[in-house]
Structures are given as structure tokens and as C-alpha cells.
Amino acid sequence: MDGNDKGSGGGPGGPGEVGGPPGADDPAGSDEAVGPDDPAGSDEPGPGDPASGEPGPEALVPEEPGPEDPGPDEPVREEPGPEERGPVAEREARVGIAGLRLGYQIAAACALAVVAVAACVHIGMLFLHVAPSNTLTKQHGDVVDEWIYPEFEQNWKLFAPNPLQQNVAVQARAELRTAEGGVRTTEWYGLSAADAASIDGNLLPSHTQQNELRRAWDFYVGSHDSQNRPVGLRGQLSEHYVRRIAYMRLDRAEPGHKGDEIARVQLRSKTTNVRPPKWSDEKVSPKPIYRVLPWWSVGSEDLPLADGKGRTDTEGRAGTEARADAEGRVAADAERAAR
């Protein structure tokens, strides 16, 4: 190729042509020097040369699309707006009560309101029941008692000056007339322990298991003196009541053999102090205290309601009539005691 051709760099070129002498038409070219890293005659800009304004070789490499980036031929998908989505998709987007229809939303809101009001009323009644005497309990004490008793009874008082610090267990034993004509005394049966075992682990214990024996014993202790002598008619009523409970529970336990009958029953209480916490300096005696009641003879009025232990129909009818008479006497005693 001829050295005078354009771009060959073999000969002098015209003004503004590539390969011309430096500084021919560019006055500033005479002041610039060729750097050690720039080869003479090289007109290509370096990578990322800011003077040229063109990207370098690395910037020209196309980036691979990521997993979420659409390809060059794939159209970009846009999320549909609320007006483009159907009613089914809009209902699926809702959760909770907001996803229900209007009628169901109103019903759910009313049910929640009723539950909240009932919970607030119940908590308020419990607070008034265990709180000290005040104006509200004096004026509306009957309403509070009707709400609490017997299902929600509380055996504690709020701000009690002397809380219970003793465990009281009621025990009973029986004197049996054996089939051979002898007499035998059984060991002590833990009536309170049996109630505690039936309540432990039971999500819905009965009112009888929780309170029958405890209330009967409190009734007896409150209506008798330290010598176990009854005070008024309430003392006699409480004695019949606790004796009936002890006899019926011993009869269900079947302490004797076949043909043995319960002739007398005896009760006692075992009172044990609750141990103080480890951080307390209080000292209490761990020795239990017993209160032994006298023997009570069992009569026909104390027979259980069921007559399935080999009794004849005549004996069953006699026992039923005797129980009716005894219950009538107990009711009359209770009425007189209330007066």
C-alpha cells in the first residue's frame, strides 16, 4: 500500500488526518508528551478512558439475566391492579374477620362483644366477693352471692389479715359387726385424701368432691365447743350431716367382708401446719394435732339410698321410710335453726 494513503501512517498526511505530524493543526499537541505507557502512534482509547467518553472493554460485556430478570424476548409481567383482579382473588387476599361477608362479620363482632362483657362482669363479681366489705357489697351482696355460689365459690379473701396456714384432713373409721357375731374396728380412712385424689388431674371436678366434706366439717366445728358438745340446734344438725357423709363413704369403701355391717362410725381431724418458705425465719411444729370425735351409732336413718347389698324389698322400703322421716326431722331442725 502506498505510504501516502489515508490512515496508513507511512507518510505525511493532511491537516486533521490520522497519521499527520503532531501539532500540525493542533496547537495544544506540541505541549503534550507521550507517556511511557502510551505507545507512540496508538490512537485507541484505554479502558474506561474519560477523555473518549466510551466504555472500556469490560463494560461492553453483556450481563446475564438473573433468575428474576426477564429475558430479552420475554415480556415484562406487571401485577394486576385492584380493578383488574376479580372478586374471588380479592376475597382470598383478606384474612380473619375481614374475609367474611358482612352478615358474618356482624355476628362475629356481636359474639366477641358478648364474651368480653361476660368476662368483665365475672371478674368484677369475683373481685367484689373476695374484697373486704364495702358500699357495693353491702347494697348488692345478694346479687354477688347469686352469681358466685355454688359454682365459683372462693375459699380465700383479698387482703386477708390472717390467711390459712394449716392443712385440715378429715378421717373416719368404722366398727363392724361380723357375720360370725364378733366386733372388729377398721383402720382410719382418709376421706379428705380421697377427695384430693379425685380432684387432682380432673379438669371438671364436681362440687361435691370439692366442698361437701370440707363445708360439713367447718359446719360441725363452728357449731360445737372444744369438748365436742353441740351449741343449739345447728350443732345437732351439723352432727347428723357429717355423720351421714362419713357413714355413706365408708359403706361405699366396703371395709368389711361379706356379711359384715357397720355398727358405729368415728371421725377425727388431722391438722398440720404449712411449712414456711425457706427465706422465712418462722418456726412451726411439724407434729400434727388430732381432734377425735366420739363414736356414733348407725341407725336406720343413716342407711344409704341404694339398697343393693342383699337387702330385701321390705328392708328397702323400711329404710326408705326411715330416711324420709329422718330427712323431715333434719329439715325441721334446719328451719328452726334459721329462725
Side-chain angles (χ1 to χ4, degrees), residues 197-230:
S198 60
I199 293 172
D200 188 17
N202 189 357
L203 297 179
L204 298 173
S206 66
H207 185 69
T208 301
Q209 295 171 343
Q210 298 180 79
N211 299 316
E212 181 186 49
L213 181 62
R214 179 181 60 84
R215 295 291 297 272
W217 184 256
D218 291 343
F219 185 25
Y220 177 85
V221 173
S223 58
H224 284 71
D225 57 14
S226 59
Q227 303 298 325
N228 297 321
R229 291 174 299 190

Side-chain angles (χ1 to χ4, degrees), residues 13 34 49 51 66 89 116 158 196 248 262 269 274 281 302:
V34 178
D49 191 1
L158 193 63
M248 294 184 67
I262 299 177
S269 64
V274 177
D281 297 334
D302 296 320

Side-chain angles (χ1 to χ4, degrees), residues 4-7 12-21 25:
N4 294 329
D5 290 340
K6 293 181 180 181
E17 295 178 357
V18 179
D25 294 331

